[in-house]
Amino acid sequence: MAGSSFTEGNSAEIVAERLARSDGSLPRFLAALVEALHRVVKETRPTPSDWRKAIAFLTEVGHASDDRRQEWVLLSDLLGITALVEEINSRRPKGATPNTVRGPFYRADAPRLPLGADICLDGRGEPLQVAARVSDLDGNPVAGATVETWQANSEGLYENQQPDLQPEFNLRGRFTTDTGGQCHYRTIRPKGYAVPCDGPVGQMLGAIGYPLRRPAHLHFIVRADGFETISTHVYDAVDPDLAEDALFGVKPELVGEFRRTGKQKNWSLDFTFVMVRARKDRRAA
């Protein structure tokens, strides 16, 4: 029989050689992944029972994922993999708004709304007026940009976590900036939260004391022709969990000040998103 026999010493090389028979980035990525996994197995030396438990955990992650909830995304986020991919692929000049992880609660079908609309559909929470400006690195306004937003409610829960308790598309919307690169809308002040612990990912990491809390934040995706897409957060500056975000997303440029307006529990947030012009030699965000 031609070729070397599979042994503990050459296991990764044998598999990598088979993967190398195909061209492209995917076989190279898989070969590197195999090498890392084989190295971990050799270092930790799990028993067959241990490995079956690991497979069972991954199977449960798959079973917990559907069109409303992505447990695989949550696992990638909590292990810092998603944040690392963003860091590698969205390096930007100083002054530009950095990318962060999108998170598992994004929906691509949020409605487009007029400026000034209220995205809080159940009226529950402390009112927050958001004013966003979109500019380029030189400070010029970016007119016609799409600003998409979504967030948790005042209890720290997203609409697609509570499809029977929150209205469809609650706290979600898409807006278009005006000629001055401005957009504004009404919502409520979000609350920080623990990542879901009712699924296999949260249960496993929670059992070993892994940090699972997220500081209060708003999600944004900003798109405009000729510019790199921004996918990011704006965090509440006074949240106690800023220093240990479970998804590794907090950056100084993304911390916003929620200001109290008037005597009632009303709030305002002003924030500027700075876009970078798209270049062929820059990796896509």
Side-chain angles (χ1 to χ4, degrees):
M1 183 175 63
S4 302
S5 298
F6 185 98
T7 67
E8 180 179 333
N10 70 6
S11 63
E13 289 78 8
I14 291 290
V15 179
E17 187 277 330
R18 295 185 180 184
L19 289 168
R21 296 172 188 172
S22 298
D23 295 328
S25 60
L26 179 59
R28 291 195 298 272
F29 171 78
L30 291 175
L33 181 62
V34 165
E35 182 180 359
L37 288 172
H38 282 231
R39 183 173 62 251
V40 169
V41 168
K42 292 172 186 179
E43 290 174 355
T44 61
R45 309 192 72 79
T47 64
S49 176
D50 292 334
W51 189 244
R52 286 193 294 271
K53 289 177 182 177
I55 296 297
F57 166 71
L58 296 176
T59 302
E60 290 177 14
V61 171
H63 288 162
S65 300
D66 55 31
D67 59 349
R68 286 184 174 270
R69 173 172 178 158
Q70 243 302 345
E71 195 79 356
W72 283 110
V73 172
L74 181 62
L75 179 61
S76 174
D77 290 349
L78 290 175
L79 296 183
I81 306 301
T82 311
L84 178 59
V85 171
E86 288 287 356
E87 288 290 317
I88 291 171
N89 288 280
S90 60
R91 298 185 182 98
R92 291 183 178 141
K94 183 178 180 181
T97 301
N99 269 19
T100 58
V101 302
R102 186 171 294 185
F105 301 115
Y106 173 70
R107 290 183 61 177
D109 55 349
R112 188 170 291 275
L113 302 170
L115 295 180
D118 192 345
I119 65 172
C120 180
L121 304 182
D122 59 8
R124 299 176 62 182
E126 298 178 2
L128 171 67
Q129 179 76 33
V130 176
R133 181 175 185 266
V134 182
S135 74
D136 64 16
L137 275 171
D138 296 321
N140 302 311
V142 180
T146 295
V147 178
E148 182 176 2
T149 186
W150 70 102
Q151 65 174 84
N153 65 8
S154 59
E155 298 176 354
L157 294 164
Y158 291 82
E159 162 261 354
N160 49 354
Q161 287 180 283
Q162 296 184 307
D164 298 327
L165 297 178
Q166 293 190 44
E168 183 84 351
F169 301 122
N170 192 37
L171 300 172
R172 298 177 187 271
R174 298 170 188 253
F175 301 91
T176 302
T177 59
D178 60 21
T179 56
Q182 306 272 357
C183 84
H184 62 280
Y185 65 93
R186 291 172 291 154
T187 182
I188 53 96
R189 189 175 186 181
K191 183 181 179 182
Y193 54 86
V195 299
C197 295
D198 57 338
V201 174
Q203 290 172 2
M204 187 270 287
L205 292 177
I208 62 174
Y210 195 84
L212 294 176
R213 287 202 61 82
R214 301 222 64 205
H217 57 272
L218 309 173
H219 291 270
F220 293 94
I221 295 178
V222 184
R223 300 181 177 91
D225 291 341
F227 292 89
E228 293 184 4
T229 296
I230 297 172
S231 179
T232 198
H233 296 56
V234 175
Y235 294 91
D236 187 341
V238 300
D239 193 287
D241 294 311
L242 275 180
E244 206 169 38
D245 175 26
L247 268 59
F248 309 95
V250 176
K251 301 175 186 293
E253 308 96 313
L254 301 179
V255 177
E257 183 179 355
F258 290 69
R259 298 184 178 90
R260 188 182 293 277
T261 58
K263 296 181 179 180
Q264 302 299 319
K265 290 184 176 181
N266 294 331
W267 303 87
S268 67
L269 170 69
D270 296 320
F271 198 84
T272 298
F273 298 97
V274 181
M275 306 193 79
V276 174
R277 295 193 179 275
R279 292 192 337 218
K280 291 182 179 180
D281 60 343
R282 188 187 296 277
R283 292 188 181 192

